[in-house]
Amino acid sequence: MKMIKISMLALTLSLMSFSAVAPVKVLISKTITASSIVWKSETIDVGTIPQNTPKPIVFEFKNTGKTAVIITNVQGSCGCTATDYIKTPVAPGKSGTVTATYNAVNPGTFTKTVSVTTNVETAPKVLTIKGTVVTASAGVKS
């Protein structure tokens, strides 16, 4: 009889311990969003350009998202590339530009990058310009 009482007590305590703990549900949510900036071209080949002639390259983009895009920083990969960009927010459905002006001082082929930071992307977008700088004596082919 004493054994039955101890067994019943043990069973009751074990059942109480299960009912006293509320089940815990862990929900993991992962949101994947497509970029809301669509670039007309991420790489522009300017072809052949004459030495000592700055060459502006215009990158165009469209805001395909639902919120305004604000460009917060544009940085060329070297001092030979100056940058400019739209300073006002680009509304959904509207377009904007980033301009990189390459200072064609050194003859030969080149590949330069421009990093664009915005409020809608976590990592900067890297745009590329490339071409060939020729001396005046070599001539320029279009």
Side-chain angles (χ1 to χ4, degrees):
M1 182 86 148
K2 191 173 185 178
M3 189 62 145
I4 293 176
K5 286 183 181 181
I6 293 174
S7 295
M8 291 297 284
L9 180 62
L11 179 63
T12 303
L13 289 174
S14 65
L15 289 176
M16 285 176 44
S17 68
F18 286 116
S19 63
V21 176
V24 176
K25 291 184 181 179
V26 177
L27 299 175
I28 299 174
S29 174
K30 187 174 186 180
T31 304
I32 299 174
T33 56
S35 175
S36 61
I37 298 176
V38 176
W39 294 91
K40 185 174 180 180
S41 179
E42 294 180 19
T43 300
I44 296 178
D45 187 338
V46 296
T48 304
I49 57 176
Q51 186 177 16
N52 297 320
T53 304
K55 175 70 175 175
I57 300 99
V58 179
F59 291 94
E60 297 176 52
F61 68 91
K62 183 172 184 176
N63 179 357
T64 60
K66 295 181 180 182
T67 60
V69 170
I70 300 169
I71 296 178
T72 56
N73 190 37
V74 177
Q75 182 69 46
S77 59
C78 67
C80 59
T81 306
T83 60
D84 192 22
Y85 57 94
I86 186 167
K87 307 295 191 288
T88 57
V90 178
K94 300 297 180 184
S95 297
T97 60
V98 170
T99 302
T101 302
Y102 177 66
N103 188 2
V105 174
N106 298 318
T109 59
F110 67 91
T111 300
K112 302 297 176 185
T113 60
V114 176
S115 299
V116 180
T117 306
T118 68
N119 66 319
V120 295
E121 294 183 335
T122 56
K125 170 57 77 180
V126 178
L127 306 172
T128 304
I129 56 174
K130 58 184 179 177
T132 304
V133 176
V134 295
T135 61
S137 61
V140 176
K141 299 175 189 174
S142 296

